[in-house]
Amino acid sequence: MTDKTDFLKKSAFISIILALFSFNLNAQSYSIDYYGIVSTEIDANMSKMTSDLYYTQLSEITDFSVSDKRTSPCLSERPDSSAFANSRLSFFTLITKDSKSDTWTTTYFVINKSKNEEHSKEKIYDSFYKILMEPKDVLKDTIKQLIENDTSATVITTSIHDKPVHSATAITSTEELSGTWSGEENINKIVIMRGGRGFVIFKNGASMNINVELSSKTKEVVITQKGNANASFYPELRRQVALTAAVSASPIKWTLVLSDSNTLKGKKETLLPDGDSYKSGSINVTWTRIN
């Protein structure tokens, strides 16, 4: 009887060991390049503290192997995607302040260059202090949701409140445009930050830095591509045509007017299909503020 009992105990112990071994084999680990934070609305000391906090929290997560790719405590525009590695995930965070309230929004970006995928998630905070006080496990869960493309919750908020209401007064500064916009068929979102900077995220995974200016004479909003052209900026063109066109293309330009506090309308100057080739032209566009 004792031998049988010992045998059963040993069998149970071996089963547990095998189960744990199998779990460890199946545990997923991730290699992540950390590019820091993008913001124009926090000072240098706060930028460094926040950027270091994210890096420390990432580095302490068991399943993450993190490399520090920061070139500055705070970036004024999103990092150049051409520097991203195909073999690793790239992570950075955009931090913006709502111009009409004290709320802050962080947008977490995870880019898988090998799959040409970019996923993002926004979180709204009632104060900047709450960004710094968020537990490490929350950051871990957020990033894993992005890595695994879990779309169960696109936006997470730390408190229940309505989105800020933007008054319909005449625009006097590009500061009033800060936020996230959408509207074009091949564009996922447009992010405008304070200081006249921003970026466009295309549905094909490409990203374009932009300059945002307000015409002193016409009060039109003029948004211009910053940096070299990329074939992915012209998803309407066939790929080979776009590759040829991008070599000498002029910067893409939007000339828009604020029809109400959350709507921009106007024309986009870009390259358009022309049979088997391309031509310069313009199309009507409408952007709507998401937040």
Side-chain angles (χ1 to χ4, degrees), residues 58-104:
L58 284 169
S59 300
E60 291 175 352
I61 297 173
T62 304
D63 300 338
F64 292 176
S65 172
V66 182
S67 294
D68 191 353
K69 297 293 184 179
R70 289 175 293 174
T71 57
S72 169
C74 187
L75 301 171
S76 59
E77 55 193 36
R78 61 178 281 155
D80 186 356
S81 58
S82 65
F84 296 163
N86 285 312
S87 58
R88 299 174 63 88
L89 300 171
S90 300
F91 171 74
F92 66 92
T93 304
L94 169 69
I95 300 178
T96 57
K97 185 180 186 301
D98 187 84
S99 60
K100 301 297 181 180
S101 72
D102 292 328
T103 60
W104 291 81

Side-chain angles (χ1 to χ4, degrees), residues 1-254:
M1 190 70 178
T2 303
D3 291 343
K4 184 177 180 180
T5 302
D6 290 343
F7 174 77
L8 290 174
K9 287 181 178 179
K10 289 179 180 178
S11 297
F13 178 74
I14 291 172
S15 297
I16 293 171
I17 294 298
L18 289 174
L20 290 173
F21 180 70
S22 175
F23 174 80
N24 287 333
L25 283 177
N26 293 325
Q28 180 69 56
S29 60
Y30 302 101
S31 298
I32 299 174
D33 286 340
Y34 174 60
Y35 284 86
I37 60 174
V38 181
S39 184
T40 57
E41 296 162 321
I42 51 181
D43 62 33
N45 290 332
M46 190 66 74
S47 296
K48 186 177 187 310
M49 181 171 62
T50 309
S51 185
D52 288 346
L53 174 66
Y54 281 133
Y55 178 67
T56 300
Q57 290 185 336
L58 284 169
S59 300
E60 291 175 352
I61 297 173
T62 304
D63 300 338
F64 292 176
S65 172
V66 182
S67 294
D68 191 353
K69 297 293 184 179
R70 289 175 293 174
T71 57
S72 169
C74 187
L75 301 171
S76 59
E77 55 193 36
R78 61 178 281 155
D80 186 356
S81 58
S82 65
F84 296 163
N86 285 312
S87 58
R88 299 174 63 88
L89 300 171
S90 300
F91 171 74
F92 66 92
T93 304
L94 169 69
I95 300 178
T96 57
K97 185 180 186 301
D98 187 84
S99 60
K100 301 297 181 180
S101 72
D102 292 328
T103 60
W104 291 81
T105 300
T106 63
T107 307
Y108 301 98
F109 291 89
V110 171
I111 296 91
N112 187 331
K113 190 173 182 180
S114 66
K115 294 183 179 180
N116 199 28
E117 292 180 353
E118 177 173 297
H119 305 290
S120 62
K121 179 170 289 188
E122 294 178 354
K123 304 181 75 173
I124 301 172
Y125 300 84
D126 290 330
S127 69
F128 194 88
Y129 175 75
K130 289 187 177 180
I131 297 177
L132 302 176
M133 294 304 295
E134 188 165 70
K136 178 180 64 178
D137 287 346
V138 176
L139 178 64
K140 175 183 177 180
D141 291 343
T142 300
I143 296 175
K144 281 198 169 183
Q145 284 180 342
L146 293 176
I147 293 172
E148 296 164 6
N149 195 18
D150 179 358
T151 57
S152 60
T154 303
V155 179
I156 300 175
T157 60
T158 57
S159 59
I160 300 173
H161 55 75
D162 294 330
K163 287 184 178 180
V165 177
H166 301 269
S167 60
T169 56
I171 185 171
T172 57
S173 167
T174 58
E175 306 287 309
E176 299 172 46
L177 301 173
S178 62
T180 305
W181 300 74
S182 69
E184 295 187 40
E185 180 182 358
N186 293 306
I187 290 177
N188 185 19
K189 65 177 70 174
I190 306 103
V191 178
I192 298 177
M193 301 184 292
R194 290 185 175 184
R197 297 183 179 90
F199 52 86
V200 175
I201 302 172
F202 291 83
K203 289 182 179 178
N204 59 20
S207 62
M208 172 202 298
N209 288 316
I210 53 175
N211 283 328
V212 184
E213 299 176 309
L214 185 64
S215 170
S216 58
K217 293 182 180 180
T218 63
K219 296 301 179 182
E220 293 175 319
V221 179
V222 181
I223 299 174
T224 311
Q225 167 195 327
K226 182 180 178 182
N228 296 329
N230 184 315
S232 296
F233 296 171
Y234 313 102
E236 300 85 0
L237 303 180
R238 290 189 297 110
R239 183 62 179 174
Q240 192 55 50
V241 173
L243 287 168
T244 301
V247 174
S248 58
S250 299
I252 295 173
K253 180 179 177 181
W254 291 264

